[in-house]
Amino acid sequence: MPTLSEAELEKYRVSSPVAATLLFRFPGGSRRAGVFCCLVTHLIRHCAWDLLLKSNQCLYRNCVSLQLLTSPPCTITLIDSNAYIEVHVSATAPVPRSEYAGHFPTIRQAILNGIRAACSRLNYKTTKPELTFLCPHTSPSPSPPSSSADQPVQELKQHTATLTKDKKYWCCDIQQLSGLLDDRHSIWFRQSQGNIINNNSVIE
């Protein structure tokens, strides 16, 4: 299968008003080979998530869109960024965030179960990935004053934040900055409702 470049992946990264992009970050900074493809297979075969492909679109090895026919329905795009797997959710119905709230912990757990199943299938030592988000502090630094025009303006690249154990605060992984998670982050950790994963899966 072809692989999308980093520039091409940007077209699939969506900013949702409902939920922030969730990251499954792997120890050592890299997921094991084959885990992403096995994860997608698990979600389709065992969780009944529907693969979304346009008529003229091929299947990529590092980016897949899936549809969940929940109530309300939503679309999930998974991106393999090597160091972590990105989970982008697009709400397909114009309804309040509260209508989706019960789905996100179940989606999170389905993906975690899929990663565990993939590691088991590939005979890898199962290592639970860390849940995190892109750092809200990812933004350009202030422009230098005119007297320091010879100093280059450094722009912060997209990076991750580490969450506190209670999942209430984020801590920047580059600078000594932290802050409260907002509703778009905390929606991933609320009590689960509905049934989006197979009956044999356990919701933690």
Side-chain angles (χ1 to χ4, degrees), residues 50-166:
D50 295 325
L51 181 65
L52 281 181
L53 278 178
K54 297 178 182 178
S55 58
N56 61 343
Q57 183 182 0
C58 64
L59 189 61
Y60 299 108
R61 66 184 304 169
N62 61 339
C63 182
V64 176
S65 291
L66 302 153
Q67 184 179 37
L68 274 64
L69 296 179
T70 51
S71 182
C74 62
T75 298
I76 297 178
T77 299
L78 302 176
I79 295 177
D80 180 6
S81 294
N82 193 31
Y84 47 79
I85 292 175
E86 305 174 23
V87 184
H88 302 264
V89 179
S90 300
T92 55
V95 298
R97 181 187 288 119
S98 58
E99 292 291 319
Y100 286 97
H103 297 330
F104 286 88
T106 313
I107 292 170
R108 182 201 76 218
Q109 190 63 39
I111 296 171
L112 181 58
N113 289 343
I115 292 172
R116 288 172 175 164
C119 290
S120 175
R121 183 69 176 174
L122 296 168
N123 295 317
Y124 291 147
K125 181 180 179 181
T126 302
T127 302
K128 185 176 180 180
E130 179 185 6
L131 300 176
T132 189
F133 299 100
L134 294 173
C135 183
H137 184 246
T138 305
S139 60
S141 59
S143 299
S146 56
S147 59
S148 304
D150 57 332
Q151 297 180 5
V153 179
Q154 293 187 349
E155 188 172 302
L156 290 177
K157 294 181 180 179
Q158 182 172 277
H159 57 277
T160 59
T162 297
L163 308 185
T164 56
K165 291 184 178 180
D166 59 8

Side-chain angles (χ1 to χ4, degrees), residues 171-191:
C171 299
C172 177
D173 289 329
I174 293 181
Q175 300 182 7
Q176 293 183 342
L177 297 168
S178 61
L180 274 169
L181 296 175
D182 61 29
D183 288 342
R184 292 174 63 251
H185 299 95
S186 61
I187 195 172
W188 285 103
F189 303 105
R190 292 174 187 163
Q191 185 174 358

Side-chain angles (χ1 to χ4, degrees), residues 39-50:
L39 164 63
V40 173
T41 301
H42 175 90
L43 294 173
I44 294 172
R45 293 186 61 184
H46 299 286
C47 303
W49 293 15
D50 295 325

